[in-house]
Amino acid sequence: MKFTPLKTLAASAVLCALTSTAYAATAAKIGDTEFTYGGYIKLDSMWSDYSAGAPAGSDVGRDFYVPSTLTVGDDNSSDAVFDMHARESRFNFGTATVMDNGKTVNTKIEIDFLASAAGGNERVSNSYAPRIRHAFVTYDGWLFGQTWSNFQNVGALPEALDFIGPAEGTVFVRQTQVKYTTGAWSFSLENPESTITTFDNKAGVMAVTDDASLPDFTARYTHKADWGNLVVAALARQLTYKVGAIDADETSFGVSASGMVKLGEDNFKFMLTQGKGLGRYVGVNVAHGAVLNGDDLDAIDSTSGFVAYQHKWNSQWRSTFLYSFFSADNNTDLLAISGDPTESSQSYSANILYSPVKRLTFGAELKHAERETESGVDGDLDRLQFSVKYSF
């Protein structure tokens, strides 16, 4: 068996196009199949000051910024905490096989360790179970498996130390799908899921339902030019709640425009998303898709977006300045059912990144975030984060 090391390959670019991993190396070629691997090791250390008390240590918002976990309430409950972890570290493996008809079948699987409750603890082992990020196969314009939603533009995400960055302002979903791409157009049928606010014990709680009779549908157009790119995507989905005698459904629509503009060595990235019942698709589910009102669903309208400017100071130093926002148009007539949902969330951040060599980056980032509920109760977070990342 002969292993042949290879250099830059088009297949490697295809396999990495749907992830945020910056590099992929070709490990070997066996017959007609090329094998690639990539990923990175990342250390994150964070000092976080919550105005209304810190979430529990096991809360996902302690690992990275999740708007819905930002506590609100009495400012006298200010609480500062320090966390360190390497859970964002990831690994991916892919193949590219030339078939008898001359076309190529690509595969990719990627894992990391974030947002996985199973595993050890921080007292002794700090071990965490891996989770699937991507697992898909592509052939002749078709993609089958799990990866970023076609409604999301990963290329618009700015470079940030936080895992997501503009968390409340971006579409951010990975899920199983069937996607077809032809030229600048792509269309997908994706796994449906609904998050519904229900009334329980005098408070609105989230119910996660998987009762939809149709997949979520997306359509997307990508325009590329010398100045950058522009992506416009549309989403149509069915919100459902089928529990006991209740059989409720509602149609949801959304549209998102995003892109990147080159400014010499610098760049400007942006996204604006508006829709009815978008729920889990935006803001890491900072708002639910709909409120259960008797036997009917009342979809929640929302608007979200972000702007980010990256400046390169020189070949080794760069900075990203970011503003992100989310706003929900809650039906105030239903507050007796929905409780006190999030009305708005926003965050500002700025970082400084230093890469002494191409794949090694040291960084510091300062983030200020705010969340306010429909009743006017609010809370904020100030976070100073330091990271070290090596991509391979």
Side-chain angles (χ1 to χ4, degrees), residues 57-58 63 83-85 87 120-128:
S58 59
D63 290 334
D83 295 290
M84 294 181 71
H85 67 84
R87 299 178 68 181
N121 54 68
E122 295 185 30
R123 291 183 292 108
V124 180
S125 65
N126 281 270
S127 56
Y128 298 97

Side-chain angles (χ1 to χ4, degrees), residues 23-43:
Y23 303 95
T26 298
K29 182 176 181 180
I30 305 176
D32 294 327
T33 300
E34 296 163 350
F35 297 86
T36 61
Y37 68 90
Y40 58 75
I41 304 298
K42 185 169 182 252
L43 165 71

Side-chain angles (χ1 to χ4, degrees), residues 150-222:
N150 192 46
F151 189 53
Q152 178 182 355
N153 179 11
V154 182
L157 286 176
E159 187 176 20
L161 298 189
D162 182 77
F163 175 60
I164 301 176
E168 61 270 279
T170 184
V171 177
F172 192 87
V173 178
R174 287 188 305 271
Q175 60 193 10
T176 307
Q177 62 193 268
V178 175
K179 182 171 74 171
Y180 179 68
T181 302
T182 176
W185 289 93
S186 56
F187 308 89
S188 69
L189 299 177
E190 306 190 9
N191 185 55
E193 189 98 350
S194 302
T195 54
I196 307 299
T197 303
T198 63
F199 184 71
D200 181 47
N201 194 27
K202 299 182 180 181
V205 297
M206 181 177 72
V208 180
T209 67
D210 194 15
D211 305 322
S213 58
L214 297 171
D216 294 356
F217 172 76
T218 77
R220 169 173 165 166
Y221 178 78
T222 301

Side-chain angles (χ1 to χ4, degrees), residues 69-284:
T69 68
L70 204 165
T71 52
V72 297
D74 187 358
D75 289 345
N76 294 324
S77 301
S78 178
D79 191 10
V81 292
F82 180 79
D83 295 290
M84 294 181 71
H85 67 84
R87 299 178 68 181
E88 191 183 320
S89 301
R90 66 182 59 162
F91 178 81
N92 62 70
F93 176 81
T95 65
T97 304
V98 179
M99 311 305 289
D100 293 339
N101 60 3
K103 296 181 179 180
T104 300
V105 174
N106 296 303
T107 68
K108 186 178 187 70
I109 187 165
E110 181 175 78
I111 62 172
D112 72 1
F113 309 90
L114 274 172
S116 59
N121 54 68
E122 295 185 30
R123 291 183 292 108
V124 180
S125 65
N126 281 270
S127 56
Y128 298 97
R131 60 167 189 165
I132 291 178
R133 288 173 50 83
H134 304 274
F136 62 84
V137 56
T138 62
Y139 173 74
D140 198 22
W142 290 91
L143 180 147
F144 308 92
Q146 175 173 308
T147 189
W148 297 113
S149 170
N150 192 46
F151 189 53
Q152 178 182 355
N153 179 11
V154 182
L157 286 176
E159 187 176 20
L161 298 189
D162 182 77
F163 175 60
I164 301 176
E168 61 270 279
T170 184
V171 177
F172 192 87
V173 178
R174 287 188 305 271
Q175 60 193 10
T176 307
Q177 62 193 268
V178 175
K179 182 171 74 171
Y180 179 68
T181 302
T182 176
W185 289 93
S186 56
F187 308 89
S188 69
L189 299 177
E190 306 190 9
N191 185 55
E193 189 98 350
S194 302
T195 54
I196 307 299
T197 303
T198 63
F199 184 71
D200 181 47
N201 194 27
K202 299 182 180 181
V205 297
M206 181 177 72
V208 180
T209 67
D210 194 15
D211 305 322
S213 58
L214 297 171
D216 294 356
F217 172 76
T218 77
R220 169 173 165 166
Y221 178 78
T222 301
H223 176 72
K224 296 181 180 180
D226 293 339
W227 52 263
N229 60 73
L230 174 67
V231 173
V232 178
L235 167 72
R237 60 192 293 245
Q238 179 187 48
L239 301 173
T240 59
Y241 185 82
K242 300 178 182 179
V243 177
I246 301 175
D247 186 353
D249 66 79
E250 176 67 284
T251 302
S252 167
F253 297 99
V255 63
S256 181
S258 59
M260 184 270 290
V261 178
K262 299 176 183 177
L263 303 170
E265 291 294 314
D266 301 347
N267 65 73
F268 174 78
K269 295 184 175 182
F270 64 93
M271 178 178 288
L272 181 64
T273 306
Q274 207 281 327
K276 171 185 177 183
L278 295 181
R280 65 187 179 88
Y281 275 88
V282 296
V284 204

